[in-house]
């Protein structure tokens, strides 16, 4: 058996067990990392659920009560209490939005619910202004707050399917059940009270009453599936009290069209008020419980992270030992690795084209620009650079998706290629930014070409994968200088074009701005430039 073969066999005998252990370790680490991420995600959702539930159960209702008290008894004391409730709601609302995960992790339904919730809070801001201006005298802005509370409930409900931890999911359903039950009871009480106060001729608001009963039923359904939970058992036991059973019977009678006597009505109103106070207390308890569960998840996540680090350290030590034992074999592998890296480097150097747009990438641009400038040394007196990028491109990605963003970049690259001159050098400079090198072009020539490209981009109708047609604009910065054999470094030119681009952005976008012209330098300056210059493409 040849020495090389023996060496490979020995190397395989040493490395194969380690490879299997390493694979197993990687699998365990990946699983642990996934579990850690799930725990961190659920901890974040727990915080969001707790805050959202607290806002719906406490802060919105507190501002409703304080606002109504101020409208009924305007004065410095009630005004101060109303302002305190507003500050509290705004603080909790900001904390709620700050605790939300990034929008990339949220589904479209939840993003839509959050947008509607923002609009509902905007209506609250408008209602506050109207209250302060005295435009709510004799009326009640409660419906605006009621709508915002319902939208807050919708966001809490939409968050539940994103939870992985079974315990947190169960508690989120409990919270949602209590919230729906409470708001159903509140709607029934409010509608029933207004109906009974208006006298015999009043029309019975069947739709609103049924809506309250529906919410109440949905809330009870949420809790039925978690009847073993202590908080649910307490609610069920409370609703089974004789006073609450009697109140339910009166509610059904009102729904059936009966108008109870004043005494019966007072009994019903007292029972309903007591029930809502009880349910509100349970909402606060459920939200607090979810927050504590989130803290528990955070502790578990840190424990998992510690285990991951310990496992990584163990694998690192084992790898070090194996590397020491397999030193001779690894020399061979190292040589093969170097050969492979050399081959990969050669292939990488050959890859000079941006795959998305078909334009040069930076590496290809460097080679092509160097050759172009060398060829143009004796025939070109000027060189100019046009730097442009798309306006509000991030909004395109956020609204239409990254597939649409890629389609826009491909289309814009095609439009630019068609409208620059055939001998101009065009490159995708990074992201949504493009750069063109214009040989034998004064800055005025560059502005003319850039304006032509700008108009073409503005006029282009870009079909998206969804079938929509999108129009975009771009901002341009131009800079030029006299071309010199002794100075091929145009980093300063690109920088000035970049400053011009910033000026175009600041001027309102969708325009062309040209930087100052740099004339040929004195002989001494050319020698300094030649001694320290070199091609640079703003890497």
């Amino acid at each position: 058996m040849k020495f090389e073969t023996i060496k490979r066999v020995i190397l395989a005998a040493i490395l194969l067990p380690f490879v299997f252990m390493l694979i197993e370790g990687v699998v365990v680490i990946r699983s642990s990392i996934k579990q850690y991420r799930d725990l961190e995600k659920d901890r974040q959702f727990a915080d969001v659920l707790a805050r959202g539930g607290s806002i719906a159960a406490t802060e919105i209702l507190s501002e409703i009560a304080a606002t109504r008290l101020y409208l009924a008894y305007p004065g410095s004391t009630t005004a101060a209490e109303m302002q305190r409730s507003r500050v509290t709601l705004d603080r909790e609302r900001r904390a709620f939005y700050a605790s939300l995960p990034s929008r990339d992790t949220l589904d479209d339904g939840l993003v839509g619910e959050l947008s509607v919730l923002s609009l509902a809070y905007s209506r609250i801001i408008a209602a506050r202004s109207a209250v302060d201006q005295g435009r709510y005298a004799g009326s009640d802005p409660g419906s605006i707050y009621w709508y915002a509370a319902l939208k807050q409930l919708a966001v809490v409900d939409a968050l539940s399917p994103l939870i992985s931890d079974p315990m947190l999911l169960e508690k989120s359903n409990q919270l949602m059940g209590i919230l729906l039950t409470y708001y159903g009871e509140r709607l029934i009480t409010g509608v029933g009270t207004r109906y009974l106060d208006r006298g015999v001729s009043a029309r019975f608001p069947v739709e609103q009453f049924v809506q309250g009963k529906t919410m109440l039923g949905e809330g009870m359904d949420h809790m039925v599936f978690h009847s073993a939970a202590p908080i649910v058992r307490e609610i069920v036991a409370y609703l089974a009290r004789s006073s609450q059973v009697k109140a339910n019977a009166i509610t059904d009678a009102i729904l059936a069209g009966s108008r109870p006597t004043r005494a019966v009505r007072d009994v019903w109103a007292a029972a309903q008020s007591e029930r809502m106070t009880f349910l509100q207390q349970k909402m606060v308890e459920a939200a607090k419980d979810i927050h504590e569960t989130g803290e528990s998840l955070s502790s578990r996540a840190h424990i998992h992270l510690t285990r991951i680090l310990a496992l990584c350290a163990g694998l690192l030590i084992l790898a070090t030992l194996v590397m020491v034992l397999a030193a001779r074999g690894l020399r061979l592998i190292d040589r093969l690795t170097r050969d492979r890296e050399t081959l990969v480097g050669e292939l990488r150097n050959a890859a000079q084209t941006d795959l998305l747009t078909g334009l040069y990438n930076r590496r290809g641009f460097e080679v092509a620009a160097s050759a172009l400038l060398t060829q143009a040394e004796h025939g070109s007196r000027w060189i100019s650079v046009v730097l442009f990028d798309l306006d509000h491109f991030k909004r395109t990605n956020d609204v239409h998706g990254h597939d649409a963003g890629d389609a826009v970049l491909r289309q814009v690259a095609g439009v630019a290629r068609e409208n620059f001159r055939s001998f101009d050098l065009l490159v995708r400079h990074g992201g949504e930014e493009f750069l063109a090198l214009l040989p034998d072009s004064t800055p005025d020539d560059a502005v003319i070409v850039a304006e032509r490209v700008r108009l073409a981009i503005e006029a282009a109708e870009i079909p998206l994968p969804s079938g929509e047609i999108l129009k975009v604009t771009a901002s341009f910065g131009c800079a030029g200088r006299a071309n010199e054999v002794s100075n091929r470094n145009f980093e300063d030119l690109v920088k000035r074009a970049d400053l011009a681009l910033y000026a175009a952005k600041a001027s309102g976008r969708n325009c062309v701005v040209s930087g100052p012209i740099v004339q040929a330098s004195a002989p001494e300056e050319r020698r300094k430039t030649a001694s320290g210059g070199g091609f640079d493409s703003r890497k």
Side-chain angles (χ1 to χ4, degrees), residues 63-82:
E63 185 166 336
I64 291 176
T67 302
R68 285 173 172 167
L69 187 63
Y70 170 76
L71 291 174
Y73 306 101
S76 58
T77 302
T78 54
E81 182 61 31
M82 181 176 66

Side-chain angles (χ1 to χ4, degrees), residues 203-283:
R203 186 179 70 85
F204 183 68
V206 178
E207 297 83 2
Q208 292 180 320
F209 218 87
V210 170
Q211 181 185 359
K213 295 287 285 185
T214 301
M215 292 180 65
L216 181 60
E218 290 178 356
M220 295 304 296
D221 287 343
H222 269 75
M223 289 190 288
V224 161
F225 291 107
H226 308 282
S227 55
I231 193 169
V232 175
R233 290 201 301 269
E234 291 175 12
I235 293 174
V236 172
Y238 177 83
L239 295 178
R241 293 180 182 179
S242 59
S243 60
Q244 297 302 315
V245 172
K246 184 176 180 180
N248 289 339
I250 297 173
T251 299
D252 293 338
I254 295 173
L255 180 60
S258 173
R259 183 175 289 274
T261 63
R262 184 70 186 184
V264 173
R265 173 186 165 186
D266 290 342
V267 170
W268 175 74
Q272 289 294 109
S273 177
E274 180 185 341
R275 180 183 300 186
M276 286 188 292
T277 301
F278 174 80
L279 290 174
Q280 189 172 8
Q281 177 187 353
K282 294 304 171 185
M283 283 190 290

Side-chain angles (χ1 to χ4, degrees), residues 443-517:
D444 292 339
D445 296 333
V447 168
I448 293 172
V449 174
E451 182 63 16
R452 182 171 69 236
V453 177
R454 185 193 70 79
L455 292 174
I457 292 174
E458 184 181 25
E461 295 184 347
I462 302 174
L464 302 183
S466 62
E468 298 178 71
I469 299 298
L470 186 66
K471 295 178 74 69
V472 298
T473 60
S475 301
F476 291 72
C478 305
R481 65 167 169 76
N483 191 24
E484 303 176 56
V485 177
S486 60
N487 182 15
R488 294 182 193 162
N489 183 355
F490 61 101
E491 179 183 8
D492 62 326
L493 201 57
V494 175
K495 289 181 178 179
R496 290 192 291 108
D498 201 23
L499 292 175
L501 174 58
Y502 288 147
K505 292 288 187 181
S507 300
R509 296 182 171 84
N510 193 21
C511 63
V512 178
V513 172
S514 178
I517 299 174

